[in-house]
Amino acid sequence: GVLDDTSVVCTADHGEQLGEHHRMGHRQGLDRALVHVPLVVSWPGRLAPRRVAAPEGTVGQFYTLQRLLALPAPPTAHARVDLLAGDPAPRVFTETFGWDAQSFRRVAAWAPGLDPGPFARTWRGGQEGRWWLGASHPVGAGHEEFHLYDALADPAETTDRAADEPAAVADLRAALAER
């Protein structure tokens, strides 16, 4: 009977690239294979089974669980999103950093000839509705590279739509800059 009054939550902090975009691991970008992770919440008798298709970040997970468990809300500047109430975030953001120069030198010592290109950059991404914008900034470069994907029609990110959808790129670029 313990599970009758127990909430079980399964999630992950990141996925793994297994050849997508010719990459392996989880430190070389913010492709969907890395940021689209499961969130399964079960509480028999308290939650009816359903699927929420809208994307959400870990901040939303925190507030959803806080509400579900009837815990007092801590003071915070983050938006409070509750997945159970059906109010997914209008935009979801993520960011990661490549290896710093010192870390890369350590790895290069045992892997001579390793190209620092994929590692020496930062990545940011944001999704609003169907559009996922990935931005990468190579260390030392004065520009960012942007790629836009239709997360609903092209979940494997095979077709960059940035040139076809300049308004979506501009909106998500502005949202990333504001964040």
Side-chain angles (χ1 to χ4, degrees):
V2 171
L3 286 178
D4 293 341
D5 195 34
T6 301
S7 176
V8 177
V9 179
C10 297
T11 190
D13 62 340
H14 61 78
E16 290 290 321
Q17 290 172 315
L18 301 172
E20 298 89 351
H21 300 282
H22 306 287
R23 298 184 189 130
M24 296 294 286
H26 62 264
R27 292 194 52 121
Q28 299 180 43
L30 289 175
D31 301 322
R32 187 172 174 85
L34 298 174
V35 299
H36 189 235
V37 298
L39 171 63
V40 179
V41 180
S42 174
W43 201 348
R46 296 200 188 186
L47 289 177
R50 67 181 176 144
R51 179 183 175 104
V52 177
E56 183 50 73
T58 53
V59 172
Q61 292 177 22
F62 176 82
Y63 287 110
T64 299
L65 296 175
Q66 171 261 319
R67 179 179 161 268
L68 177 67
L69 300 172
L71 298 173
T76 181
H78 292 292
R80 294 185 177 169
V81 175
D82 184 345
L83 295 171
L84 298 176
D87 59 350
R91 292 182 178 132
V92 177
F93 297 102
T94 187
E95 183 173 37
T96 190
F97 302 96
W99 294 353
D100 59 79
Q102 181 179 358
S103 297
F104 182 77
R105 280 193 298 274
R106 281 191 217 128
V107 172
W110 56 264
L114 184 65
D115 176 14
F119 304 102
R121 56 180 67 225
T122 59
W123 292 275
R124 299 180 304 140
Q127 183 170 344
E128 181 171 27
R130 69 187 300 167
W131 299 116
W132 164 258
L133 181 74
S136 67
H137 184 203
V139 172
H143 68 283
E144 280 189 301
E145 300 165 0
F146 295 94
H147 302 280
L148 183 74
Y149 298 100
D150 185 330
L152 301 178
D154 183 19
E157 299 175 333
T158 59
T159 304
D160 186 349
R161 302 284 308 275
D164 304 334
E165 299 289 342
V169 172
D171 288 347
L172 281 165
R173 281 184 72 175
L176 282 172
E178 179 183 312
R179 182 178 179 275

